[in-house]
Amino acid sequence: MKKSNKITALLLCAALLLPLIAGCANVGNESKVIGLFMPSKNEPRWIQDSDSLMRQLQNKEYRVEPRNAEDDVELQIRQIEEMIEKGCDILVIAAIDSTQLQATLQRAADKKITVIAYDRLIMDSPHVDYYVTFDNFEVGRLQGEYLEKALDLPNSNGPFHIEVFAGSPTDNNAIFFYDGAMSVLGPYLDSGKLIVKSGQVERVEVATQDWLPSLAKERMAGLLNTYYQNGTELHAILSPNDAVAMGIIETLKDFGFDGDEKPFPLITGQDSDIANIRAILAGEQAMTVFKDTRTLADRTFRMIDDILLNKSAETNDSKTYHNNLKIVPTYICKPVMVDAENYKRTLIDSGYYEMADIMD
């Protein structure tokens, strides 16, 4: 055979082998098991998070075991412990109660299972290996800055009436959301330019257990009945997320707020749920904070992939998130403010939603 023919034959063999080599890249991945634990289906974002992460992991042929605990702390603990006994390589946990997993994570550590806290930092355990989240302080700061600008607080004399809601006391993120908002609004509360008629400002007294809209609705009704029945205008409501905002909006509608003769106060939110984008376009909610779950899922997937390939997992923060026992290596993603002016560019043009989803 001539030399040129030998080279041609070798190149042909190489071309035929390439698909086989590529197909072997994921061989053995199916033996790697990831337990994926979400807290609830009450908030659409947790379904989106789970779907995004599962899709990427399954494309790499990892075996994913998803669980949803429906806001039941004891059920989530049982689900995680069953997975530990069953055997897995990594636990990805969005905790319902971030303070109740110490014994469970000790069992995971005993079996050398890596633990990734997903968007909610797990507290009081040395066995949280990584944390993937958004800049939670920034979420609150964006909410506070929106109200500051919308009320023109630096230039207006006021006073403006505001009521404050916070997130679940079992969610460590709620502390950052509240602190971020108060870093902007606090000086105006101190000066009297913002007034909370109820006097309820401290995070522990304005917390919304488990982020439940029903509890937000009930508390809002109490505030209106007690403090706003004499014609006092309520200008703004600091709501930590969209679920709480929806509970608040329902109550306001019950009390005759309609957006026309009786305009809604400025209401903040977080998560960019479809129902809340509709509320923003209807003039019922002022803004929300978009946390692109695709970004969070992508970063978590990369972290999982690196760990299972024995690579160093990428993080970008090593000082912010202390769980009372250790600083947890973290990857922080950036949140974005969304209102009626930029929702299309941020949510539709990016492919996160389709316009039909919003207008349905």
Side-chain angles (χ1 to χ4, degrees):
M1 182 182 294
K2 294 182 179 179
K3 184 176 182 180
S4 60
N5 289 340
K6 288 182 180 179
I7 293 172
T8 301
L10 288 171
L11 289 173
L12 180 60
C13 289
L16 291 171
L17 284 171
L18 277 174
L20 295 175
I21 295 170
C24 290
N26 293 339
V27 169
N29 281 2
E30 66 275 3
S31 67
K32 304 295 185 181
V33 181
I34 298 98
L36 178 59
F37 300 89
M38 292 294 165
S40 171
K41 292 181 180 176
N42 289 329
E43 297 176 47
R45 65 139 310 179
W46 295 119
I47 300 172
Q48 294 164 343
D49 284 60
S50 180
D51 290 347
S52 295
L53 187 51
M54 282 185 62
R55 185 163 48 250
Q56 293 190 74
L57 291 168
Q58 289 172 343
N59 284 343
K60 195 72 181 285
E61 297 184 9
Y62 291 124
R63 204 172 97 218
V64 188
E65 294 278 355
R67 301 289 186 273
N68 189 295
E70 302 290 2
D71 290 314
D72 185 328
V73 175
E74 294 303 319
L75 175 57
Q76 185 171 64
I77 290 172
R78 289 198 303 273
Q79 288 175 338
I80 297 170
E81 291 185 348
E82 287 169 3
M83 183 63 63
I84 292 170
E85 291 305 310
K86 185 177 178 181
C88 65
D89 298 276
I90 295 177
L91 298 173
V92 179
I93 304 171
I96 297 171
D97 188 333
S98 61
T99 67
Q100 298 297 313
L101 294 174
Q102 299 95 321
T104 301
L105 296 197
Q106 181 61 59
R107 293 186 179 94
D110 292 343
K111 294 203 169 188
K112 303 189 185 309
I113 298 172
T114 300
V115 174
I116 299 174
Y118 186 87
D119 204 34
R120 292 179 173 180
L121 183 60
I122 300 171
M123 306 301 292
D124 306 315
S125 171
H127 306 303
V128 185
D129 298 290
Y130 298 99
Y131 180 35
V132 185
T133 191
F134 287 91
D135 188 333
N136 298 312
F137 187 90
E138 175 73 1
V139 169
R141 194 176 67 80
L142 288 172
Q143 294 170 341
E145 285 182 343
Y146 184 92
L147 296 179
E148 179 184 47
K149 182 178 179 181
L151 295 172
D152 194 21
L153 292 177
N155 304 307
S156 300
N157 293 325
F160 299 98
H161 295 111
I162 185 173
E163 292 296 335
V164 177
F165 286 71
S168 179
T170 61
D171 186 347
N172 187 66
N173 286 356
I175 299 172
F176 287 90
F177 302 147
Y178 177 88
D179 288 349
M182 286 301 157
S183 73
V184 179
L185 301 178
Y188 298 109
L189 291 167
D190 293 340
S191 70
K193 193 172 284 192
L194 285 177
I195 295 176
V196 179
K197 285 274 288 181
S198 69
Q200 299 168 15
V201 178
E202 296 301 317
R203 183 179 58 83
V204 292
E205 63 183 340
V206 300
T208 308
Q209 183 69 41
D210 296 330
W211 304 91
L212 289 174
S214 58
L215 295 180
K217 182 177 181 179
E218 180 181 341
R219 178 167 176 257
M220 190 71 240
L223 293 173
L224 292 174
N225 277 323
T226 306
Y227 303 103
Y228 296 93
Q229 284 297 317
N230 62 353
T232 301
E233 184 176 359
L234 177 57
H235 299 94
I237 300 171
L238 176 67
S239 168
N241 81 338
D242 285 350
V244 171
M246 289 306 292
I248 292 168
I249 291 168
E250 286 182 26
T251 294
L252 292 171
K253 288 180 177 179
D254 291 343
F255 278 74
F257 288 81
D258 58 9
D260 295 317
E261 293 184 10
K262 194 172 183 180
F264 286 84
L266 298 167
I267 303 172
T268 61
Q270 169 190 182
D271 293 331
S272 299
D273 292 341
I274 287 176
N276 295 80
I277 301 303
R278 292 172 181 165
I280 288 172
L281 297 180
E284 299 166 354
Q285 183 172 329
M287 62 84 74
T288 185
V289 177
F290 177 46
K291 302 191 304 185
D292 193 335
T293 56
R294 297 169 300 183
T295 303
L296 198 65
D298 179 65
R299 280 296 166 185
T300 307
F301 163 74
R302 294 189 197 187
M303 188 173 282
I304 291 169
D305 201 38
D306 285 343
I307 293 166
L308 294 179
L309 293 173
N310 295 315
K311 296 180 180 179
S312 177
E314 182 180 358
T315 59
N316 61 6
D317 183 274
S318 59
K319 61 182 181 180
T320 302
Y321 291 100
H322 198 292
N323 76 346
N324 295 331
L325 290 180
K326 63 182 285 190
I327 293 175
V328 181
T330 301
Y331 195 97
I332 299 177
C333 304
K334 185 175 177 60
V336 179
M337 189 281 294
V338 171
D339 62 8
E341 293 185 2
N342 74 344
Y343 84 95
K344 184 177 182 298
R345 180 174 65 255
T346 307
L347 300 175
I348 309 300
D349 295 348
S350 71
Y352 192 79
Y353 291 136
E354 294 182 5
M355 186 61 77
D357 296 329
I358 307 297
M359 299 303 177
D360 187 18

